[in-house]
Amino acid sequence: MANNSKNAGKVISVQGPVVDVKFDREEDMPNLYEVIETKSFDGRRIVLEVAEHLENNITRCIALASTLNLQFNAKAVPLGEPIRIPVGQAMFGRIVNVLGEPIDNKGKIECRESSSIRKNISKIRLNPDRLITGESELLETGIKIIDLLFPMAKGSKTGILGGAALGKSILILELIHNIVERHKGVCVFTGAGERIREGNELYWEFVKQKVIDKIMMVFGQMNEPPGARFEVALTGITLAEYLQEQNQDVLFFIDNVFRFVQAGAEISTLLGRVPSETGYQPTLSSEVGDFQERIRSREGGSITAIEAVYVPADDLTDPAVVTIFSYLDSIMVLSREKIQLGLYPAIDLLLSSSGNLDPAIVGNAHFGIAQEVLRIFSKYDELRRIVMVIGIEELSKADHTLYERARKLQNFLTQPFFSAEVYTGRKGEYVPLKETLEGCEKIISGRLDSIAEDKFYMAGGIGKLEQAGRE
């Protein structure tokens, strides 16, 4: 990046993360989204991104780092281009910030190439020859409830929706562990607006599982300014796009995409924009669309996205949540009631849905078992309310049988996680799809009616379950 010192401006206002820079001439003003570099009183580099042009040759910028000790009249140099980050194989096993700078104390990252985090998605959208076509290829996750009812296909987008403390991060960690270890592929993990502690734990978990050399990690955590929390999602998808261009299948994880939207709302407020009637930024749809439309498969490489979505106050009708999940192929809604019952993963089957649960994708046998499981759970939900009032003895014989099988299915779809071993004391298990389908089919058909329902809880595969039933 060449410094245009002759065209430098001066900082005339600092209001938290919003910085105004004045230039002498109109032609010296940088374009929107271009980077301006300045320094604080103690010599710390501060990167600003142009957000608005004001009258009198003033650019209003969003700071991507703390503006502490940034002085009035500080020199501000436009760099003539948007944020560019290094891309290359050297990024594997490293942790970077929104600017692609290492934050893992492992020294400089040597990459020959760099890429702008701002892309014109219309160029991709208007080139249908590059989009992937043909049959969907399923990714087995080893998690029974997901493989059965929310199958993941290469190039799809899956959302994990839930309020606070419902296990979104644990579920994402388990998916990374199982998929990266079992499938040939690479992973980009983006931490947007979540806790620093979680990022640290995630890194050491990857080291422990020996998958760190297949993962690129970028973090803009909740202690950072809204500009960093917003742009970090774009940094993450830029790394994924680079790997895709190298004809690789990429797993793209973002935890949490709601924080990306929330940071956009903060920026909008700081810039003085009038919010929409829902309280969010007026640019909500376009911001989410610009990000989500970049997650797509092309010939030679795919991006499979798994996105954690925080649901404020467990309200699934929140405008930001609705905007996000309109882009998702599968939606897994986590339930507080399931957590209280100790059913992990706590996915509410009747609120969740999957576009990949289709006979053309999963096959007729899988589809038939999945539909029967959903039918049983739907009926169980009705019977459960009746049982709470009149007791199980008052049910008809057919309803009584269905009720008991539904409880066994509910317990069978729980699973000990590798990523939760330290909390539960149970060894994690990977259950192949074949075993999951076999187990569900045996429960539905009544072949396991003689086994007590508590034996099904955290049982793992069907083989161990049947062995436990014989003991």
Side-chain angles (χ1 to χ4, degrees):
M1 292 183 183
N3 286 1
N4 305 315
S5 298
K6 290 180 182 177
N7 306 329
K10 291 181 179 178
V11 174
I12 61 166
S13 167
V14 180
Q15 300 173 53
V18 177
V19 178
D20 287 352
V21 178
K22 183 173 174 62
F23 292 86
D24 292 333
R25 300 178 304 165
E26 188 177 327
E27 52 266 34
D28 292 341
M29 293 173 68
N31 296 326
L32 290 178
Y33 305 126
E34 284 190 6
V35 172
I36 297 177
E37 196 177 73
T38 185
K39 288 188 177 178
S40 64
F41 172 69
D42 52 2
R44 183 171 52 85
R45 176 174 175 253
I46 298 173
V47 173
L48 314 173
E49 186 182 59
V50 178
E52 285 181 352
H53 287 163
L54 306 179
E55 56 189 18
N56 299 323
N57 304 338
I58 295 171
T59 57
R60 181 153 285 170
C61 309
I62 294 293
L64 302 182
S66 169
T67 53
L68 186 68
N69 290 333
L70 180 57
Q71 290 183 304
F72 181 71
N73 272 344
K75 186 178 179 184
V77 182
L79 300 183
E81 58 185 350
I83 298 168
R84 295 188 72 83
I85 60 164
V87 290
Q89 299 299 311
M91 299 291 278
F92 280 116
R94 300 301 300 269
I95 308 175
V96 298
N97 63 12
V98 62
L99 300 171
E101 299 166 342
I103 52 174
D104 53 6
N105 297 322
K106 286 188 177 179
K108 191 179 176 184
I109 299 174
E110 298 291 343
C111 287
R112 293 180 181 176
E113 295 180 65
S114 66
S115 179
S116 168
I117 69 168
R118 297 265 178 188
K119 295 280 185 2
N120 185 353
I121 60 168
S122 63
K123 289 181 180 177
I124 302 170
R125 193 181 293 129
L126 293 172
N127 189 357
D129 295 338
R130 298 198 63 201
L131 302 184
I132 201 163
T133 56
E135 295 181 5
S136 299
E137 185 181 341
L138 289 180
L139 282 173
E140 186 179 276
T141 67
I143 301 172
K144 289 182 283 189
I145 196 167
I146 293 178
D147 286 339
L148 175 68
L149 299 171
F150 311 100
M152 286 189 185
K154 272 188 185 177
S156 65
K157 300 189 191 95
T158 300
I160 302 171
L161 283 69
L166 293 187
K168 296 184 297 296
S169 298
I170 284 282
L171 190 51
I172 274 199
L173 185 56
E174 188 71 6
L175 285 164
I176 293 173
H177 173 273
N178 287 3
I179 297 175
V180 171
E181 202 169 70
R182 300 253 172 179
H183 298 271
K184 288 180 181 177
V186 288
C187 172
V188 175
F189 183 90
T190 305
E194 286 295 305
R195 301 164 189 82
I196 304 169
R197 169 186 59 77
E198 287 181 357
N200 185 56
E201 287 175 3
L202 191 71
Y203 175 79
W204 291 111
E205 186 66 29
F206 290 156
V207 171
K208 179 182 161 190
Q209 302 294 346
K210 297 180 181 174
V211 294
I212 191 70
D213 59 335
K214 294 180 182 175
I215 298 173
M216 298 180 181
M217 302 175 74
V218 51
F219 284 117
Q221 300 298 71
M222 58 169 53
N223 64 314
E224 297 190 45
R229 284 182 272 125
F230 181 82
E231 301 287 355
V232 75
L234 306 182
T235 301
I237 194 60
T238 302
L239 290 174
E241 284 171 336
Y242 165 77
L243 292 170
Q244 186 188 31
E245 293 290 343
Q246 309 306 305
N247 296 328
Q248 290 185 291
D249 293 321
V250 188
L251 283 163
F252 177 69
F253 294 85
I254 179 164
D255 186 10
N256 187 299
V257 75
F258 175 81
R259 305 293 183 196
F260 157 76
V261 173
Q262 195 176 41
E266 288 178 47
I267 291 169
S268 183
T269 303
L270 289 164
L271 294 174
R273 294 175 186 153
V274 178
S276 65
E277 59 185 10
T278 61
Y280 284 99
Q281 63 269 44
T283 52
L284 173 64
S285 296
S286 62
E287 287 173 1
V288 173
D290 285 351
F291 167 66
Q292 296 284 0
E293 287 292 344
R294 289 174 64 179
I295 304 170
R296 60 201 308 124
S297 292
R298 305 175 205 167
E299 193 178 346
S302 66
I303 299 179
T304 306
I306 298 167
E307 308 176 16
V309 186
Y310 169 69
V311 179
D314 293 347
D315 178 17
L316 290 171
T317 63
D318 183 89
V321 175
V322 172
T323 304
I324 292 164
F325 73 51
S326 63
Y327 288 93
L328 303 174
D329 299 305
S330 296
I331 298 163
M332 290 183 261
V333 180
L334 301 184
S335 156
R336 204 165 294 280
E337 183 186 359
K338 303 271 185 195
I339 290 278
Q340 290 161 353
L341 292 170
L343 300 169
Y344 300 97
I347 300 172
D348 188 319
L349 303 183
L350 302 181
L351 280 179
S352 308
S353 65
S354 174
N356 295 327
L357 191 59
D358 184 296
I361 297 174
V362 299
N364 289 324
H366 181 160
F367 181 74
I369 291 171
Q371 290 302 111
E372 184 62 17
V373 167
L374 290 172
R375 185 193 70 79
I376 288 172
F377 277 122
S378 182
K379 182 68 176 171
Y380 169 71
D381 200 50
E382 296 172 19
L383 293 175
R384 192 169 54 91
R385 295 191 183 95
I386 297 169
V387 168
M388 287 167 70
V389 178
I390 63 171
I392 194 169
E393 295 80 12
E394 299 298 319
L395 294 178
S396 68
K397 188 175 179 182
D399 283 349
H400 190 284
T401 302
L402 185 141
Y403 185 85
E404 290 194 332
R405 287 176 187 170
R407 289 183 68 85
K408 288 175 183 177
L409 270 174
Q410 185 173 256
N411 282 351
F412 178 64
L413 292 176
T414 61
Q415 190 163 342
F417 279 0
F418 293 98
S419 53
E421 284 176 4
V422 67
Y423 310 114
T424 63
R426 291 176 183 265
K427 195 171 185 325
E429 285 202 41
Y430 181 102
V431 182
L433 173 61
K434 187 180 175 184
E435 277 196 49
T436 302
L437 294 174
E438 186 186 343
C440 290
E441 196 272 326
K442 284 182 176 180
I443 294 170
I444 291 166
S445 65
R447 281 185 275 170
L448 302 180
D449 282 357
S450 59
I451 301 177
E453 70 176 56
D454 62 305
K455 297 283 188 185
F456 291 78
Y457 182 70
M458 294 286 177
I462 189 67
K464 287 188 178 179
L465 173 61
E466 290 178 313
Q467 185 183 344
R470 287 192 291 268
E471 290 172 358

